[in-house]
Amino acid sequence: MTRLLASVAPIDFYSSYVWPFAAALAVTLLTCPFVRRIAIRLDLYDRPDSGLKPHERPIPYLGGVAMYLGWLAALVCAVFLTRTDRLEIAWIVVGGTLLMLTGLADDIRHLSPKFRLLVQAIVAGLLMYGGIGRECGRALIASFADDLPGWAVSEPVVLGLSAAVCIFALAGAMNAANFIDGMDGLCAGILGIAAVGFFYVSLAVPPAGDVLAPVRAALCAAIFGACLGFLFFNSHPASIFMGDSGSLLLGYSTAVVMILLMEHPTCRTQPSWRWFDGALIAFAVPVLDTGLAIGRRWINHRPLFTGDRSHLYDQLRDRGLTIRQTVLTCYAIGAGFAALGPLAVRLTRGQLFVLLMAIPLVAAMLFRAFGMLRVDDTAARSRAGGA
């Protein structure tokens, strides 16, 4: 396995992935019980209600803090074991820390959506200042045309487009991760599975000039290790929730991996976003779940940004599945997309475009066929959380 990986990507499999993964897993496992005791002592609970929170008893928060410590341990481990640019890792850590603290503040005292979006925009600016994402705009331009006037590829235009791409990627991934955090073990499991898909998409990137490969590998390892460690405490019946501090951190890490996939030199000169597209496919379950929730609210004239129980996992639960069955069904779908992502990057540009269009179209047809676009205020919505 190590020889195979070395032949397709300029990384050392153990120093760039295995040891950071082990660090994230171990630290998350060790710190979860500790932060749970702190949450109990500080009375930081997610308390059930008759609507959006159907769990049977109050569950302590702060799981996201333990995940953050595991995530941080993985990146620190990567810094000392690889030749990756320490400055890039430092800026990634700064952004992740800021967003984890924002999520923690939101868990304790609810923040407005506008404030959260402002923080996400600030983090996007910090990443670009640190050299991460500055070339996304150039990759976008190269994807649409080969011959453009000089002003269209000027530095201000490229930076403006890069900023827009970074903000959209961060906000989209973080909101998608936050939306899918609605059932024991679901968010951590789905994001952990997606991280494996990201890693194999990254391995498909041409090694020539790919100096960011160790950074991407370390981030994938950090996500997977933190998620796996947290699942020991968050699987049904959960003893701790990650809260927004965890979901924002996972969404942020996902977005950074995608942004780094657009930073490859090939993307800047050739019309190809294939590695970003492959990662997007691996992340399809949160994206499709977000699309279902927003589409259903829009069709039924409900407020788009007001929470409800219209998510994919809610509707599977309403149709008779237990919590474990629902989560395992979502895991299976997520694993399918995580496997499809690395395969999709080997398609031609036209084939990849057709696949990207077909996935949401087929999903929409299935949602409609199974009645998931109708308002369904049944008694199942307040059913007990036990399975």
Side-chain angles (χ1 to χ4, degrees):
M1 171 63 91
T2 305
R3 291 181 180 177
L4 173 62
L5 294 170
S7 70
V8 295
I11 66 170
D12 180 272
F13 183 53
Y14 286 96
S15 62
S16 296
Y17 189 85
V18 172
W19 295 123
F21 163 75
L25 175 62
V27 171
T28 304
L29 282 171
L30 290 172
T31 56
C32 247
F34 178 70
V35 298
R36 183 177 183 273
R37 287 196 293 270
I38 293 177
I40 293 172
R41 180 169 296 183
L42 297 177
D43 195 34
L44 298 177
Y45 287 96
D46 187 6
R47 291 179 168 81
D49 57 30
S50 59
L52 298 179
K53 301 178 179 182
H55 44 279
E56 292 181 322
R57 66 189 192 285
I59 304 294
Y61 275 132
L62 295 188
V65 176
M67 299 181 77
Y68 165 77
L69 294 174
W71 176 88
L72 180 62
L75 296 184
V76 171
C77 183
V79 165
F80 286 101
L81 293 179
T82 67
R83 297 179 180 179
T84 186
D85 190 330
R86 296 186 178 186
L87 188 59
E88 290 176 343
I89 293 288
W91 283 110
I92 292 172
V93 168
V94 168
T97 303
L98 184 57
L99 286 165
M100 186 279 294
L101 292 174
T102 300
L104 184 61
D106 197 24
D107 289 332
I108 298 171
R109 184 176 183 178
H110 292 298
L111 303 176
S112 70
K114 290 182 180 179
F115 181 81
R116 287 169 49 139
L117 182 59
L118 175 62
V119 174
Q120 292 164 7
I122 292 172
V123 169
L126 289 174
L127 288 177
M128 290 184 61
Y129 181 79
I132 299 169
R134 293 177 65 91
E135 297 297 328
C136 290
R138 203 177 307 278
L140 179 62
I141 292 169
S143 294
F144 284 99
D146 298 324
D147 187 18
L148 289 172
W151 64 266
V153 292
S154 63
E155 196 65 19
V157 172
V158 169
L159 287 177
L161 285 175
S162 296
V165 170
C166 288
I167 292 172
F168 181 79
L170 287 170
M174 282 187 277
N175 282 311
N178 185 257
F179 282 168
I180 206 166
D181 183 27
M183 193 167 286
D184 294 354
L186 184 59
C187 183
I190 290 295
L191 269 294
I193 290 169
V196 176
F198 298 156
F199 178 68
Y200 282 98
V201 168
S202 183
L203 291 182
V205 175
D210 187 17
V211 297
L212 296 172
V215 181
R216 292 196 306 268
L219 267 175
C220 292
I223 299 170
F224 186 41
C227 287
L228 186 59
F230 185 64
L231 280 173
F232 280 89
F233 306 92
N234 185 241
S235 295
H236 184 72
S239 62
I240 189 171
F241 286 166
M242 70 172 67
D244 285 356
S245 60
S247 62
L248 290 185
L249 176 67
L250 293 179
Y252 163 78
S253 301
T254 296
V256 173
V257 171
M258 292 183 177
I259 290 169
L260 291 174
L261 285 168
M262 288 185 280
E263 291 286 277
H264 188 272
T266 304
C267 286
R268 305 172 193 174
T269 58
Q270 297 180 12
S272 175
W273 267 28
R274 65 177 61 251
W275 302 293
F276 172 85
D277 294 338
L280 186 63
I281 291 171
F283 191 60
V285 170
V287 173
L288 294 176
D289 172 68
T290 301
L292 170 62
I294 292 177
R296 189 180 188 214
R297 294 169 194 174
W298 180 73
I299 290 172
N300 293 284
H301 307 289
R302 302 294 179 89
L304 294 183
F305 299 103
T306 299
D308 60 21
R309 298 195 59 222
S310 63
H311 294 280
L312 174 62
Y313 50 88
D314 291 320
Q315 300 208 45
L316 292 175
R317 185 84 171 96
D318 289 346
R319 282 157 177 77
L321 297 185
T322 65
I323 289 178
R324 288 191 180 91
Q325 289 170 341
T326 300
V327 171
L328 288 175
T329 298
C330 292
Y331 282 3
I333 298 171
F337 281 119
L340 181 60
L343 296 176
V345 299
R346 304 183 184 281
L347 300 176
T348 66
R349 187 183 181 189
Q351 291 170 336
L352 182 56
F353 177 80
V354 170
L355 178 62
L356 289 171
M357 295 298 103
I359 289 174
L361 179 60
V362 171
M365 293 171 63
L366 290 174
F367 292 154
R368 182 175 180 180
F370 286 98
M372 292 185 174
L373 298 178
R374 298 193 304 267
V375 174
D376 185 18
D377 296 321
T378 65
R381 295 187 177 282
S382 57
R383 191 163 43 208

